[in-house]
Amino acid sequence: MGIGDASPSENQSAHKEKRDETTPLLPLKAEEEDGIHEFNGASFSGAVFNLSTTIVGAGIMALPASIKMLGIIPGILMIILVALLTEASIDMMVRCSHQAKITSYGWLMGDSFGQWGRIALQASVVINNIGVMIVYMIIISDVLSGTSTTGVHHRGIFEGWFGPHLWNSRPVVLLATTIFVFAPLVSFKRLDSLRYTSALSVALAVVFVVITAGIAILRLIEGTAEIPKLFPEIHEINSIWELFTAVPVLVTAYICHYNVHSIDNELEDRSQTKPIVRTSLALCSSVYVATSFFAYLLFGEGTLSDVLANFDSDLHIPFSSVFNDIVRVSYVVHVMLVFPIVFFALRLNLDGLLFPTSRHISHDNRRFTIITVSLLVVIYLAANFIPSIWDAFQFTGATAAVLIGFIFPAMIILR
C-alpha cells in the first residue's frame, strides 16, 4: 500500500464524516409518532424575522447607556458602522460556505483551520450565548422583580402591583419563567418552528420604540425633556478609557453569525440569504438608532445600563404608570421570545463540542433533553448571582462576540 493510500476502514470513516458534515442541520423530512411531516423550506419573511430576533435581543436595552457615554452623534455613527461591518463579515462567511457547500459555521472554521478552528468557534458561541441569555434573565428579573444595582431601588412590575412578597422575588420569578416559558419554547428541534414567535417579538420591539419615541417627542415639545449632549465629555485620561467600555455593547448588539447557517440551511433558495441579512440588519439598525436616541432624550444623564429599569418613574405625561407598564411588559415578552432563538445555536454548538462524532442532536432525544435541561439550570443560577447586564455585556462583547462577529470571518476569508 502506498503512502498516500488509505485503508478501506479509513475511507469508510472519512466518507461517513463527509456525509455527516454535508447533511443539513435538520432533515427535510422528520419521522414523528403521527407520521412523516414535509418541510419545504423557510419563507423569506420567516427567515428575516428569525434573524432579526437573533440580533435585536438584550443589546437594545444597553444601547441608550452607550449613547449617553459616547454622545448622540458618535453613538449613532458607531451603531451604523458596526451594522456595516456585520453585513460585510456575514457576507464573507456566507460566500465561503456556499462555494464549498458548507452548512455550518463550525464546519467552515474546521475546513479552514482544522479541528482546533472548529473547537475555537464552538467554544466562542457557547460563551457568547450563555452570557447573552444570562443578560435576558437579568432583564426579566429587573423588570418583574425590581433592581437595586445602582444603589437606588427600582421597583419591578409585580412589586408595584402587589407589593414585595416571596413569590415575586427574583429567584422565584426566574424559576417560574424558566419552567413555564423557556422550557416549552426551547423544546422545538427546527428553527423555523419559531417563526411566529419571532414575528411577535419583532413587533413588540417596535411597540417599545414607538412608545418611547412618542413620550420623548411629547416631552420635547412641552420643554420638559433634557437636551442630550452631542459629543462625549472628556475631562481626563480615564474619561477616554471609559468610552471604550461602550464598544463591547455595540458589538454584542449585532452578533447573529451563529444562526446564519441554520437559517440558510432551511431556505429553499439559498441565494436569498444576502437580501435576508441586509433586510434584517436595516430593520434592526433602525430600531437601535431610534431606541438609543429617544430613550436617552427621555431620561438624559439618568439613563441606566438597563434602560427598562428607568420605566418605574414619573414620565411627566398623563397615564404615566400605564405607559411604564406597557413598555416593560412588551419588552419582557420580547426577550422571552428571543431566548429560544439564541438557545437553539447554543445547544447545537455545545453538542458539537461535547459529541463531535455523534449523530445530530435532533435525532437523539435523550442527549437533546440532557443538554437542554443542563443549560437552563446553569443560565438560571448565573442570572441570580450576576447583578448587572453591563458586566455581562462587557465580558462577552470584549471576548467571544468580537471573535464570532469579526475576527473569525476575517481569518476565513484571508485563508
Side-chain angles (χ1 to χ4, degrees):
M1 181 181 294
I3 295 176
D5 296 334
S7 66
S9 60
E10 289 174 340
N11 284 330
Q12 185 178 4
S13 175
H15 175 71
K16 179 182 183 298
E17 181 179 356
K18 186 71 175 177
R19 183 190 63 207
D20 290 344
E21 291 284 15
T22 54
T23 301
L25 290 179
L26 294 169
L28 298 182
K29 291 184 179 179
E31 291 187 15
E32 299 183 8
E33 294 179 359
D34 54 349
I36 296 180
H37 296 270
E38 296 284 348
F39 177 62
N40 296 320
S43 64
F44 183 93
S45 59
V48 168
F49 284 133
N50 279 334
L51 188 58
S52 298
T53 302
T54 306
I55 299 170
V56 182
I60 193 173
M61 292 298 101
L63 285 178
S66 300
I67 294 291
K68 180 185 75 171
M69 189 173 294
L70 297 171
I72 290 290
I73 294 176
I76 291 177
L77 290 176
M78 281 294 294
I79 290 174
I80 296 171
L81 175 62
V82 176
L84 293 174
L85 290 174
T86 301
E87 195 276 330
S89 64
I90 293 176
D91 183 58
M92 293 177 190
M93 193 173 70
V94 170
R95 281 195 291 116
C96 291
S97 299
H98 286 182
Q99 288 173 5
K101 297 183 179 179
I102 289 174
T103 58
S104 73
Y105 197 172
W107 181 21
L108 182 61
M109 279 293 291
D111 188 64
S112 302
F113 298 100
Q115 178 183 0
W116 290 107
R118 175 185 59 79
I119 291 173
L121 181 277
Q122 290 176 329
S124 297
V125 172
V126 169
I127 293 170
N128 179 81
N129 288 20
I130 285 180
V132 167
M133 283 186 290
I134 290 171
V135 168
Y136 292 164
M137 281 206 179
I138 293 173
I139 288 176
I140 292 168
S141 64
D142 285 352
V143 172
L144 299 181
S145 300
T147 179
S148 303
T149 55
T150 59
V152 178
H153 183 66
H154 294 269
R155 293 190 307 169
I157 291 176
F158 291 155
E159 186 180 354
W161 289 351
F162 308 106
H165 298 283
L166 177 62
W167 67 266
N168 59 23
S169 63
R170 182 183 184 122
V172 176
V173 167
L174 286 183
L175 181 61
T177 303
T178 301
I179 293 174
F180 297 111
V181 179
F182 293 152
L185 289 176
V186 301
S187 299
F188 291 108
K189 295 184 178 181
R190 181 179 293 122
L191 194 60
D192 191 63
S193 300
L194 298 168
R195 62 190 181 279
Y196 297 118
T197 59
S198 295
L200 178 58
S201 71
V202 173
L204 290 171
V206 173
V207 168
F208 170 79
V209 174
V210 169
I211 294 177
T212 304
I215 297 171
I217 292 171
L218 182 61
R219 289 272 303 274
L220 189 63
I221 293 172
E222 293 177 347
T224 58
E226 180 182 339
I227 302 301
K229 63 188 179 189
L230 298 180
F231 295 93
E233 297 176 355
I234 300 175
H235 304 292
E236 53 187 10
I237 190 66
N238 287 336
S239 300
I240 298 176
W241 290 116
E242 285 179 1
L243 298 179
F244 288 97
T245 63
V247 176
V249 176
L250 292 167
V251 170
T252 306
Y254 279 103
I255 296 302
C256 60
H257 302 62
Y258 47 80
N259 260 350
V260 170
H261 282 90
S262 296
I263 292 169
D264 182 54
N265 293 336
E266 293 183 4
L267 291 172
E268 188 173 6
D269 181 8
R270 298 180 75 186
S271 65
Q272 291 184 317
T273 303
K274 190 169 184 175
I276 285 170
V277 171
R278 286 185 171 178
T279 304
S280 300
L281 286 172
L283 174 62
C284 296
S285 298
S286 302
V287 171
Y288 281 169
V289 170
T291 302
S292 304
F293 176 77
F294 288 114
Y296 180 37
L297 180 64
L298 185 58
F299 299 111
E301 295 304 309
T303 303
L304 299 174
S305 58
D306 178 4
V307 76
L308 275 183
N310 283 110
F311 285 93
D312 74 325
S313 57
D314 185 6
L315 299 176
H316 304 290
I317 62 169
F319 306 105
S320 173
S321 61
V322 175
F323 281 108
N324 276 332
D325 289 348
I326 292 174
V327 165
R328 292 191 290 175
V329 169
S330 65
Y331 209 81
V332 161
V333 176
H334 164 78
V335 168
M336 290 178 179
L337 298 179
V338 173
F339 189 96
I341 294 287
V342 180
F343 192 93
F344 185 92
L346 169 62
R347 180 173 52 210
L348 204 60
N349 282 276
L350 181 61
D351 180 71
L353 272 177
L354 299 178
F355 308 101
T357 59
S358 300
R359 61 177 178 165
H360 195 275
I361 188 172
S362 63
H363 301 302
D364 191 328
N365 290 331
R366 182 183 177 188
R367 206 166 82 237
F368 183 91
T369 303
I370 291 173
I371 291 179
T372 299
V373 172
S374 300
L375 285 172
L376 287 176
V377 170
V378 169
I379 294 166
Y380 167 78
L381 293 175
N384 279 283
F385 291 102
I386 298 176
S388 171
I389 67 172
W390 196 261
D391 298 330
F393 269 135
Q394 283 186 311
F395 175 74
T396 58
T399 54
V402 73
L403 289 171
I404 296 168
F406 302 108
I407 294 179
F408 288 158
M411 289 170 58
I412 289 167
I413 202 74
L414 288 173
R415 187 79 167 185

